[in-house]
């Protein structure tokens, strides 16, 4: 697959607007990036990583896709960013998948015109994109450093980490019912427990905008759901063209699991880059984005 970005051949002016949509009775929100042409471009729906908001580097991709001629909608899961939610910043894979479906429904008929939909997910959002694509009709899928197997994520952690995660998760399940949720850091300090390992977590925090109200914490029971979450099992049911980008030095989403998913998807393109989990949002953005735009052009290039 060519890695030449179509951005070099054409540029589109981009307008942005906020869109709201309902998901299980909660109002979720996202930002739509629209190129000035064509009139009804395909829409790329972008979903974030573990405990992340849609502002954590994802607008950079949305703008890049829009400048390549695609509409792009980056949204916040319930309880994150400007989206409503009963519990703030809870990692709930099942609820987030429902939010994906609701977001797709919102943008599939922009301005009354039916649009082709491409899914784009990063980290946990990449796992969600695979699960969603296995269960509904879309035109293409892009999964970047996708977290596809919660059991593999758990196996890569230390016994001390697992003991703390399970203990605090069970505690939160009990205390949350009493109105006293128990949270853990998303990224722990030195010698402190955190969902994400360091130094990956440090680079994750570098993506948080200074003006964000996001807090470095998440209800601990989300870890129990994360360990059980396995969208890898859905990969064989994905029938649409799918681009999987594995981070070769990823300590969150195993590149071997991503390769396994690629083997299970008949129409897949697999790329492994020598980068860490979050680097495609930062230092490796240009290289990663060029490959992704080239893939989208190959699948949706006739607009």
């Amino acid at each position: 697959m060519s890695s030449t970005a179509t951005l070099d051949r054409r540029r589109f002016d981009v307008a942005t607007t906020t869109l709201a949509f309902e998901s299980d009775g909660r109002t979720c929100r996202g930002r739509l990036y629209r190129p000035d042409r064509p009139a009804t471009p395909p829409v790329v729906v972008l979903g974030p990583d573990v405990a992340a908001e849609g502002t954590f580097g994802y607008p950079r991709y949305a703008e890049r896709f829009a400048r390549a001629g695609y509409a792009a909608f980056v949204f916040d899961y319930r309880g994150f960013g400007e989206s409503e939610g009963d519990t703030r910043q809870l990692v709930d894979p099942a609820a987030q998948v429902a939010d994906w479906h609701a977001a797709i429904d919102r943008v599939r008929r922009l301005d009354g015109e039916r649009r082709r939909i491409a899914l784009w997910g990063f980290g946990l959002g990449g796992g969600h994109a695979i699960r969603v694509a296995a269960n509904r009709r879309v035109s293409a899928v892009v999964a970047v450093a996708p977290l596809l197997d919660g059991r593999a994520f758990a196996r890569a952690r230390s016994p001390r980490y697992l003991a703390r995660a399970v203990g605090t998760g069970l505690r939160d399940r009990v205390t949350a019912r009493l109105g006293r949720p128990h949270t853990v850091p998303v990224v722990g300090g030195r010698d402190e427990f955190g969902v994400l390992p360091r130094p990956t977590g440090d680079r994750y925090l570098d993506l948080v905008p200074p003006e964000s109200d996001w807090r470095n914490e998440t209800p601990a029971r989300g870890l129990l759901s994360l360990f059980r979450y396995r969208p890898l099992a859905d990969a064989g049911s994905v029938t649409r063209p799918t681009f999987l980008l594995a981070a070769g030095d990823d300590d969150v989403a195993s590149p071997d699991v991503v390769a396994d998913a690629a083997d299970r998807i008949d129409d897949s393109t697999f790329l492994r880059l020598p980068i860490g989990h979050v680097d495609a949002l930062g230092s490796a953005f240009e290289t990663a984005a060029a490959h992704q735009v080239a893939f989208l052009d190959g699948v949706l290039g006739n607009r």
Side-chain angles (χ1 to χ4, degrees):
M1 181 179 66
S2 171
S3 63
T4 301
T6 54
L7 191 65
D8 294 332
R9 302 197 303 269
R10 60 177 185 272
R11 289 184 68 90
F12 297 79
D13 291 331
V14 177
T16 64
T17 186
T18 298
L19 290 183
F21 59 94
E22 295 298 310
S23 180
D24 294 337
R26 299 163 183 82
T27 300
C28 295
R29 295 178 176 84
R31 195 73 177 166
L32 178 68
Y33 293 69
R34 306 179 71 152
D36 58 346
R37 60 195 190 281
T40 57
V43 183
V44 183
V45 179
L46 297 89
D49 197 0
V50 174
E53 292 184 354
T55 56
F56 292 12
Y58 309 107
R60 194 178 181 188
Y61 273 100
E63 183 171 351
R64 177 60 58 88
F65 295 148
R67 292 200 181 281
Y70 304 97
F73 182 54
V74 55
F75 71 95
D76 278 314
Y77 303 122
R78 67 186 70 180
F80 287 86
E82 296 183 357
S83 293
E84 296 176 355
D86 298 332
T87 305
R88 297 304 298 175
Q89 299 189 183
L90 173 64
V91 177
D92 183 341
Q96 291 179 353
V97 167
D99 296 342
W100 268 89
H101 284 290
I104 293 167
D105 292 339
R106 177 64 180 88
V107 299
R108 188 178 285 283
R109 287 193 175 273
L110 283 176
D111 306 321
E113 298 286 341
R114 187 172 179 84
R115 307 296 185 94
R116 287 178 294 166
I117 299 292
L119 308 183
W120 184 99
F122 191 96
L124 182 59
H128 295 337
I130 295 298
R131 173 150 291 184
V132 171
N135 291 283
R136 70 181 299 165
R137 185 177 182 83
V138 297
S139 296
V141 184
V142 176
V144 182
L147 181 53
L148 296 164
D149 189 345
R151 288 183 292 185
F153 174 80
R155 287 195 299 269
R157 312 276 75 83
S158 68
R160 180 181 179 186
Y161 176 103
L162 293 176
R164 179 70 184 276
V166 172
T168 57
L170 292 174
R171 172 184 171 186
D172 183 39
R173 276 189 175 174
V174 173
T175 59
R177 296 192 185 104
L178 304 175
R180 300 193 303 271
H182 179 69
T183 63
V184 293
V186 178
V187 179
R190 187 176 300 276
D191 298 324
E192 180 186 26
F193 177 84
V195 175
L196 298 179
R198 302 179 72 184
T200 293
D202 297 323
R203 292 192 287 270
Y204 177 102
L205 293 179
D206 288 341
L207 298 168
V208 180
E211 67 276 10
S212 175
D213 292 329
W214 180 86
R215 301 180 66 178
N216 182 21
E217 62 183 28
T218 184
R221 63 189 183 276
L223 278 162
L224 304 179
S225 299
L226 184 64
F227 292 163
R228 296 194 305 270
Y229 188 54
R230 200 167 184 263
L232 175 65
D234 301 302
S237 298
V238 177
T239 61
R240 306 309 301 163
T242 301
F243 179 75
L244 296 119
L245 194 161
D249 300 324
D250 201 328
D251 56 359
V252 174
S254 166
D256 293 334
V257 173
V258 181
D260 185 2
D263 288 339
R264 299 182 188 208
I265 299 172
D266 287 339
D267 193 357
S268 68
T269 300
F270 174 77
L271 175 67
R272 180 170 177 154
L273 295 177
I275 60 177
H277 180 68
V278 301
D279 292 344
L281 294 171
S283 59
F285 170 80
E286 291 296 340
T287 298
H291 283 285
Q292 293 167 54
V293 171
F295 169 79
L296 291 172
D297 281 353
V299 176
L300 305 171
N302 61 0
R303 301 294 188 278

